[in-house]
Amino acid sequence: MKVITRAAEMEAERAAMKGRVGLVPTMGALHEGHLSLVRRARRDNDQLVVTVFVNPTQFGPQEDFAAYPRDLDRDLILLEAEGVDVVFAPTAEDIYPLGFNDWVEVNGPLTERLEGEFRPGHLRGVTTVVARLFRIVRPQRAYFGEKDAQQLRVVRRMVEERRLPVEVIGLPTVREPDGLAMSSRNAYLSPEERAAALVVPRALELARRMVEDEGVRDAAAVRRAAEELIRREPRARIDYVSVSDCETLEELTVIDRPALLLLAVRIGATRLIDNAALMSAGVESAAAAKGWTGARWTV
Ligand code: AMP
């Protein structure tokens, strides 16, 4: 496995690659969620590049950029074991040279709500860095997690709008046995907060049950039930609870199509996001035809 830190060197390495090139962009502090993307990408491609870059432009000034967990040595051991060909771990100066102004942005409703509303500039930072990594690595396929549902849709939109020659593949959220979505930020949680964080998967499961098992179609009722459950946990603060169209992420009044429940909840100083598919009888076949599956676990 090669470890490359300079963009020019990565470009030279890429130019010599033959066959299908897959890319998994990460910010490191790897867990099984990341590794599920790596494993799928390994199976699908001849060459596999994983990037490890804590992207400063997707953090707000009051956010956790400095504190974000970093352990490249451990990440490299994990990636080597998965048969990765190249790890590209660039410096910030290489990605953002002095005077950098080449922002890549998706405009419109997809980026105005949810993370776009609560983390101004975050999605622009994501699209900018992903576009730059695409330019340097030139992958045929790139892999992203459904865990960051809005990010995945925004990256897809960017690829469409700019006609980038990359196939974007979204993969299901990997969870701990008790339902908590794996996240590098879970490392911030104290044992008490870790227990409190279970309100997030519990709220998702409650909503899923209401829609799927009880046939509830009133989006406000689902939102309210999820909010009430979360509010019962004193350590939890809600940023948003949203029932949205699963593709456009527009807020729904009636759940009459494949939808997502999207949550952003702060537990102490740690902000967690998660989402679940709300499948309902009327829309099940349409969703299945799209290969769209709801996450299920027991809480
Ligand atoms: P990050 O390092 O947090 O930027 O995540 C890198 C990629 O891993 C993104 O595409 C995430 O959506 C994905 N990812 C993060 N957590 C999970 C998870 N629990 N399951 C699946 N994918 C994940």
Side-chain angles (χ1 to χ4, degrees), residues 24-37 51 53 58 68 126 143-149 151-152 169 171-176 180-186 274:
V24 180
T26 82
M27 299 207 299
L30 301 178
H31 50 66
E32 280 297 314
H34 297 114
L35 296 181
S36 73
L37 308 185
T51 60
F53 180 59
Q58 71 188 70
Y68 196 83
V126 169
Y143 297 79
F144 295 85
E146 267 291 346
K147 156 86 166 48
D148 300 282
Q151 165 175 289
L152 170 60
I169 293 152
L171 295 176
T173 302
V174 176
R175 297 178 180 280
E176 302 285 357
L180 185 69
M182 292 198 180
S183 163
S184 306
R185 290 193 167 96
N186 293 351
D274 201 349

Side-chain angles (χ1 to χ4, degrees), residues 103-142:
W103 297 100
V104 175
E105 194 161 10
V106 167
N107 293 303
L110 190 55
T111 53
E112 283 162 5
R113 305 181 50 238
L114 308 169
E115 294 303 285
E117 182 183 342
F118 283 85
R119 301 185 72 190
H122 166 70
L123 292 167
R124 181 180 84 150
V126 169
T127 42
T128 297
V129 78
V130 169
R132 256 177 115 63
L133 294 172
F134 283 0
R135 283 254 281 278
I136 295 166
V137 178
R138 291 189 290 116
Q140 275 99 351
R141 301 194 184 98

Side-chain angles (χ1 to χ4, degrees), residues 220-242:
V222 174
R223 272 195 300 275
R224 213 161 35 237
E227 282 168 4
E228 277 166 16
L229 186 149
I230 296 165
R231 289 215 179 91
R232 286 205 291 273
E233 168 49 62
R235 292 174 200 270
R237 295 280 175 277
I238 296 172
D239 271 0
Y240 58 76
V241 173
S242 165

Side-chain angles (χ1 to χ4, degrees), residues 49-296:
V49 180
V50 176
T51 60
V52 176
F53 180 59
V54 184
N55 174 34
T57 66
Q58 71 188 70
F59 290 80
Q62 309 302 323
E63 293 182 3
D64 57 339
F65 174 68
Y68 196 83
R70 291 164 171 86
D71 191 348
L72 185 60
D73 291 342
R74 177 177 173 275
D75 292 344
L76 294 179
I77 291 167
L78 294 171
L79 294 173
E80 175 124 57
E82 300 298 337
V84 171
D85 297 297
V86 175
V87 176
F88 179 43
T91 62
E93 293 71 29
D94 232 14
I95 298 295
Y96 299 110
L98 204 63
F100 175 83
N101 200 22
D102 189 18
W103 297 100
V104 175
E105 194 161 10
V106 167
N107 293 303
L110 190 55
T111 53
E112 283 162 5
R113 305 181 50 238
L114 308 169
E115 294 303 285
E117 182 183 342
F118 283 85
R119 301 185 72 190
H122 166 70
L123 292 167
R124 181 180 84 150
V126 169
T127 42
T128 297
V129 78
V130 169
R132 256 177 115 63
L133 294 172
F134 283 0
R135 283 254 281 278
I136 295 166
V137 178
R138 291 189 290 116
Q140 275 99 351
R141 301 194 184 98
Y143 297 79
F144 295 85
E146 267 291 346
K147 156 86 166 48
D148 300 282
Q150 190 176 18
Q151 165 175 289
L152 170 60
R153 283 151 186 77
V154 170
V155 168
R156 279 197 208 285
R157 181 72 59 82
M158 171 188 81
V159 163
E160 276 166 28
E161 286 178 354
R162 294 180 184 246
R163 314 248 352 117
L164 303 179
V166 184
E167 184 187 352
V168 174
I169 293 152
L171 295 176
T173 302
V174 176
R175 297 178 180 280
E176 302 285 357
D178 62 7
L180 185 69
M182 292 198 180
S183 163
S184 306
R185 290 193 167 96
N186 293 351
Y188 298 148
L189 298 169
S190 69
E192 297 74 28
E193 290 170 341
R194 173 65 181 75
L198 285 181
V199 289
V200 173
R202 285 188 181 133
L204 295 177
E205 177 60 13
L206 172 67
R208 191 199 62 72
R209 261 203 313 264
M210 284 175 77
V211 174
E212 221 170 295
D213 301 347
E214 295 163 25
V216 176
R217 293 293 174 270
D218 177 358
V222 174
R223 272 195 300 275
R224 213 161 35 237
E227 282 168 4
E228 277 166 16
L229 186 149
I230 296 165
R231 289 215 179 91
R232 286 205 291 273
E233 168 49 62
R235 292 174 200 270
R237 295 280 175 277
I238 296 172
D239 271 0
Y240 58 76
V241 173
S242 165
V243 176
S244 293
D245 178 291
C246 94
E247 275 163 32
T248 66
L249 299 187
E250 278 159 334
E251 196 72 40
L252 294 180
T253 311
V254 182
I255 305 169
D256 56 0
R257 65 194 93 164
L260 289 180
L261 182 77
L262 300 126
L263 299 180
V265 174
R266 283 171 288 121
I267 308 284
T270 304
R271 188 172 181 278
L272 302 177
I273 63 169
D274 201 349
N275 66 85
L278 303 179
M279 187 99 72
S280 49
V283 295
E284 202 148 348
S285 52
K290 289 183 184 160
W292 180 81
T293 54
R296 279 162 201 259

